[in-house]
Amino acid sequence: MNNEGLNKEKEAKSILMAPLDWGLGHATRCIPIIYELLEQGCTVIIAANGPTEILLKSEFPQLTFLKLKGYNIQYSQTKNGLPLKIFLQLPKVIAAIYYEHHWLKKTAKENNVDIIIADNRFGLFHSSIPSIYITHQLLIKTGNRFTEKIAQYVHCYFIKKYTNCWVPDFEGNNNLAGELSHPEKSIDGVKYIGALSRFEKKNVVEKKYDLLILLSGPEPQRSIFEKLLLDQLQTFFGTILLVRGLPGKGFNAIQQQNIIVKDHLAANELNEAIQQSKLVISRSGYTTIMDLVKLQQKAILVPTPGQTEQEYLAQHLAQQKIFYTIEQDKFMLNDVLREVENFSFNIPLLDMQQYKNVVSEFVRLNS
């Protein structure tokens, strides 16, 4: 082999990473994968916009960012109105998939992309470039058997367009996402990579907060839950840190008596704040669940009303005594805290480094 061939082999692989904009969890769970790709000597390009771009730029200011429009899904004011609200937005989602697929063809060529990794973005597959699809929802819960079958068929159709599908969960019975990541019918090309979390657990951390409240997810439900909590916190006299989950909003930290309110925390600050807290209240988004498990943190999960995936995850984990759960419309802070006192948390210790072997092997096989 001549020198030109050897140099080509040694060139860093160019990886295009594109997380979905449907909540920040898709972006944050990509963070450990990006770090491992950088550790493997790859060049990483991130495609994002809005809060997703702001969050990832704060973590990786040195990387190249490309603008890629999101799906911009809007939620309803009520739980029962959500299915119709999502259904009415399907034309917008289809248009976004069509756009991102054609955007990819042009962008991959212009940026000499060698590998594509897309977190729950349906249109970022390529006919001649290895492409990875990340999802924990091999089974999509809709609350209706007929629509679940349709959703399953459509999702599998797109999964099969990709070279492989990485599932951030564990194979076998000792897993976190239950039926979502382990459907009855297996799907070709699926590889379980273990849970993903950007956080690191410290051995000893002094408790600073009685409650840490992590707000996240699409509007208007994020704001509805925030108002509900702030009203009920008036009768709680412990120390509280409330993180609003709004990166880039420019909202200054506010302290009102025993409550500290912040728009957003950088990863290292949030990592520390979770471990400084006696108890966490959060949505039951899957990325949050993986973070809480890694940090062995007790939590109350309040699923976003009408979001069937979060409702299933919360119930699934509550049945295993991993976390406590309560529906938003039934949430009464003082009553919930009394019940939590008698709840026996059984958070499993899992291998949270498994993904590193999968990523390094994938890079090696595609070098």
Side-chain angles (χ1 to χ4, degrees):
M1 185 179 291
N2 58 31
N3 289 336
E4 183 179 351
L6 286 170
N7 290 335
K8 188 173 182 180
E9 281 190 355
K10 292 179 181 179
E11 286 178 1
K13 287 293 176 183
S14 179
I15 316 276
L16 178 67
M17 172 70 74
L20 185 64
D21 67 326
W22 199 332
L24 294 175
H26 295 282
T28 55
R29 73 184 184 188
C30 287
I31 289 174
I33 292 177
I34 294 171
Y35 273 118
E36 184 59 28
L37 289 170
L38 295 174
E39 183 70 21
Q40 295 297 322
C42 299
T43 298
V44 180
I45 301 168
I46 298 175
N49 76 333
T52 296
E53 180 184 10
I54 292 168
L55 186 147
L56 290 174
K57 271 188 174 177
S58 68
E59 189 77 20
F60 303 103
Q62 79 281 17
L63 298 185
T64 298
F65 281 76
L66 303 176
K67 290 285 185 182
L68 176 57
K69 292 189 295 185
Y71 292 7
N72 194 28
I73 297 295
Q74 301 297 315
Y75 273 41
S76 64
Q77 293 277 353
T78 63
K79 173 178 178 176
N80 293 334
L82 183 60
L84 178 60
K85 183 84 171 180
I86 298 296
F87 178 78
L88 293 175
Q89 294 175 87
L90 287 179
K92 179 174 69 173
V93 173
I94 293 168
I97 295 169
Y98 178 85
Y99 168 83
E100 70 185 12
H101 185 60
H102 287 271
W103 174 91
L104 176 65
K105 290 180 180 179
K106 180 183 177 182
T107 302
K109 186 175 182 180
E110 290 176 346
N111 293 272
N112 297 314
V113 172
D114 297 305
I115 296 170
I116 302 153
I117 302 178
D119 189 315
N120 268 101
R121 299 197 73 134
F122 291 165
L124 294 181
F125 55 88
H126 200 285
S127 60
S128 58
I129 299 175
S131 48
I132 296 294
Y133 181 75
I134 299 175
T135 186
H136 66 278
Q137 290 190 81
L138 298 178
L139 172 66
I140 297 177
K141 292 280 186 180
T142 66
N144 177 280
R145 290 185 65 183
F146 177 70
T147 55
E148 276 185 11
K149 286 184 178 180
I150 295 174
Q152 181 79 348
Y153 175 82
V154 172
H155 200 198
C156 286
Y157 170 82
F158 283 107
I159 289 174
K160 290 174 182 178
K161 295 282 186 182
Y162 287 80
T163 309
N164 289 109
C165 175
W166 286 354
V167 178
D169 200 359
F170 300 91
E171 194 169 9
N173 295 326
N174 193 21
N175 62 72
L176 295 176
E179 293 178 3
L180 297 185
S181 59
H182 296 76
E184 289 184 6
K185 187 177 180 180
S186 61
I187 301 172
D188 293 339
V190 166
K191 189 173 187 63
Y192 292 91
I193 66 172
L196 298 169
S197 175
R198 56 184 168 152
F199 296 146
E200 295 297 334
K201 181 171 174 56
K202 298 180 181 178
N203 291 328
V204 180
V205 178
E206 183 181 352
K207 298 300 181 183
K208 184 177 178 181
Y209 308 106
D210 293 296
L211 277 181
L212 169 62
I213 299 171
L214 302 177
L215 297 175
S216 62
E219 298 291 3
Q221 286 298 336
R222 192 211 64 81
S223 293
I224 291 171
F225 191 37
E226 179 178 349
K227 184 179 185 306
L228 181 152
L229 285 166
L230 286 173
D231 289 343
Q232 296 188 19
L233 285 171
Q234 301 307 311
T235 59
F236 181 79
F237 300 104
T239 53
I240 305 155
L241 173 61
L242 188 153
V243 183
R244 303 178 71 221
L246 298 172
K249 292 294 183 182
F251 179 86
N252 294 322
I254 294 177
Q255 183 159 358
Q256 300 174 335
Q257 297 176 347
N258 59 325
I259 306 176
I260 301 171
V261 182
K262 295 189 177 182
D263 248 11
H264 179 69
L265 288 178
N268 61 327
E269 295 174 320
L270 183 56
N271 185 75
E272 185 174 28
I274 291 173
Q275 294 177 81
Q276 289 175 330
S277 304
K278 295 178 182 177
L279 187 65
V280 171
I281 298 175
S282 75
R283 293 300 194 192
S284 51
Y286 189 59
T287 300
T288 300
I289 287 167
M290 292 190 290
D291 290 337
L292 293 170
V293 168
K294 184 170 185 180
L295 298 181
Q296 295 288 289
Q297 175 62 56
K298 296 178 181 179
I300 298 166
L301 302 181
V302 185
T304 302
Q307 191 165 334
T308 48
E309 171 222 349
Q310 288 197 11
E311 291 170 344
Y312 170 80
L313 283 170
Q315 287 300 323
H316 172 68
L317 296 169
Q319 288 170 3
Q320 298 179 70
K321 298 292 185 181
I322 295 176
F323 299 115
Y324 179 90
T325 187
I326 183 76
E327 293 177 14
Q328 182 171 299
D329 61 359
K330 297 177 181 176
F331 188 94
M332 297 295 293
L333 180 62
N334 292 331
D335 293 343
V336 168
L337 292 178
R338 279 194 293 269
E339 289 190 26
V340 168
E341 286 181 3
N342 298 317
F343 186 85
S344 300
F345 289 92
N346 183 29
I347 305 172
L349 283 168
L350 300 170
D351 177 10
M352 303 290 281
Q353 304 297 316
Q354 184 176 318
Y355 73 92
K356 292 186 176 184
N357 294 330
V358 176
V359 173
S360 61
E361 181 185 16
F362 180 75
V363 172
R364 179 181 60 80
L365 291 175
N366 287 278
S367 294

